[in-house]
Amino acid sequence: MNLSFKKTPLTKNLSDNWERFLVNTIFPPKCYGCGSHKSYLCNKCTDRILLPHSICPHCSKRLPFGNLSKTCKKKLGLNRLFTCSNYKNTTVKTLVTTMKYKSAYALSECLADIAYSFLLQEEVIEDIILENIVIIPVPSYYKKTKRRGFNPADKIAEHLADYLEATTNIKTLIKIKKTKAQVETRSKKEREENLKNAFSTNKNTDLKKNVVLLVDDVITTGSTMRECSKALKKAGVKEIWGIAIARD
C-alpha cells in the first residue's frame, strides 16, 4: 500500500514535521560527539569541532573571513572559501560517512548547522545577506544519485539555505561526466584530470550577476570546487564563494 502523497507548499512543512516526530519518537537522537540525547550533534560538540579559521587547500594558509589571496583565487576559481572543520575529527568523519553511505539524510541538518555556526563565528552572515547569495550544491553524477537515493550536498544546501533565509537551486549545476571517486586518485594532478570538464549548468537557469555560495561536504585539494566554478562562470555568475563542512 502506498501511503505517500503529493506535498504542496501548504502541506510540506506539516508532513516533514510529522515525519521527523515519528522518527525521533522511534529512534531518539543521540549526539555523535558525546552521546547525550535530544540531537545528533549538541551545541557543545558543534563548538568543539569548529576550526578556529579557514585553511586554504592550495597554500595551507589561514583565511581571515574566508578571503583568498590573488594567487589562490585564480588557482581555486573562488573569491572566498570557508572550511568549517577537520575531516580527521572522528565525530565529523562519522557524521559525513554515515549520511553518505548509510542514507542517513537526517544528519545533513547537523552538517548544515556546522556550516552555519562557522559562518556566524567568521562574522560573515551579514555579507551573505547583503549579497543576496544563491546557494548551490556540488552535484554528483546522476547514476550515483539514483543509486544512493539522494545527493548529500543537496540536503546540506537546502538546510543551510533555510538557516540563512537564502535561495537555493539544486538543479543549477549538473555533473555531466562519470568520474572516479576523488579518494581513488593518487596525486593532485590525477585529481585535476579526473574532474576536468565534468560539470555544466542547466541552460534554463539564469545565473547572470548572481553571487553563489557553492556547498560541498569535504574539500581536499579544491579540484571539485574549481571545476564547478568554471561551469558557473561560463554561465555568467559574478562571484563564487565556497564552503566545505570539512577539510581533509
Side-chain angles (χ1 to χ4, degrees):
M1 182 183 294
N2 184 2
L3 296 178
S4 62
F5 60 92
K6 184 177 180 181
K7 292 182 181 180
T8 67
L10 183 63
T11 62
K12 183 179 184 299
N13 288 336
L14 289 173
S15 58
D16 286 350
N17 290 337
W18 177 243
E19 182 178 313
R20 181 180 298 181
F21 170 77
L22 287 176
V23 170
N24 289 346
T25 300
I26 300 169
F27 304 105
K30 184 189 290 187
C31 177
Y32 273 65
C34 65
S36 64
H37 290 282
K38 293 188 179 180
S39 69
Y40 294 113
L41 189 67
C42 70
N43 292 336
K44 286 184 179 179
C45 287
T46 299
D47 292 340
R48 286 191 195 107
I49 64 180
L50 294 181
L51 289 173
H53 45 70
S54 296
I55 299 291
C56 178
H58 177 59
C59 70
S60 297
K61 292 182 179 178
R62 62 181 296 177
L63 304 174
F65 307 107
N67 291 315
L68 292 156
S69 68
K70 287 184 180 180
T71 300
C72 295
K73 280 182 182 179
K74 186 175 180 181
K75 183 64 181 177
L76 298 171
L78 302 169
N79 297 84
R80 296 171 82 168
L81 175 64
F82 305 97
T83 56
C84 309
S85 63
N86 193 328
Y87 194 57
K88 292 179 176 63
N89 181 290
T90 305
T91 301
V92 175
K93 189 169 186 176
T94 303
L95 283 167
V96 172
T97 55
T98 303
M99 178 192 67
K100 290 174 75 169
Y101 303 117
K102 295 186 179 179
S103 298
Y105 21 88
L107 299 182
S108 61
E109 190 169 359
C110 300
L111 298 175
D113 189 54
I114 291 171
Y116 182 71
S117 298
F118 188 79
L119 293 172
L120 279 173
Q121 175 183 287
E122 290 287 280
E123 300 180 345
V124 294
I125 299 292
E126 188 174 337
D127 293 352
I128 290 171
I129 293 169
L130 288 173
E131 292 288 356
N132 197 24
I133 276 183
V134 177
I135 298 177
I136 295 178
V138 169
S140 60
Y141 192 56
Y142 75 97
K143 287 186 178 179
K144 188 173 184 179
T145 300
K146 187 175 181 181
R147 185 170 65 251
R148 180 178 278 155
F150 71 108
N151 174 31
D154 288 356
K155 297 290 183 182
I156 297 169
E158 287 173 346
H159 287 299
L160 185 57
D162 285 343
Y163 292 154
L164 295 169
E165 297 183 357
T167 302
T168 185
N169 193 328
I170 65 173
K171 295 181 180 180
T172 294
L173 196 59
I174 52 177
K175 191 170 185 181
I176 57 175
K177 186 174 81 172
K178 184 180 179 181
T179 60
K180 286 183 186 178
Q182 287 292 75
V183 293
E184 295 175 13
T185 56
R186 298 180 181 179
S187 65
K188 188 174 181 179
K189 185 175 181 180
E190 190 179 347
R191 282 175 177 269
E192 291 175 355
E193 287 298 317
N194 183 45
L195 289 168
K196 193 172 182 180
N197 300 319
F199 300 95
S200 185
T201 53
N202 188 328
K203 293 179 181 178
N204 296 323
T205 306
D206 183 9
L207 295 169
K208 291 178 182 177
K209 298 182 180 179
N210 280 131
V211 177
V212 162
L213 180 62
L214 190 60
V215 177
D216 206 0
D217 51 5
V218 181
I219 189 170
T220 305
T221 63
S223 300
T224 302
M225 283 202 177
R226 183 181 62 251
E227 291 301 315
C228 288
S229 177
K230 284 181 184 177
L232 290 168
K233 285 181 178 176
K234 282 182 182 177
V237 173
K238 181 177 76 172
E239 194 171 308
I240 302 166
W241 301 7
I243 186 165
I245 306 306
R247 176 180 179 267
D248 192 6

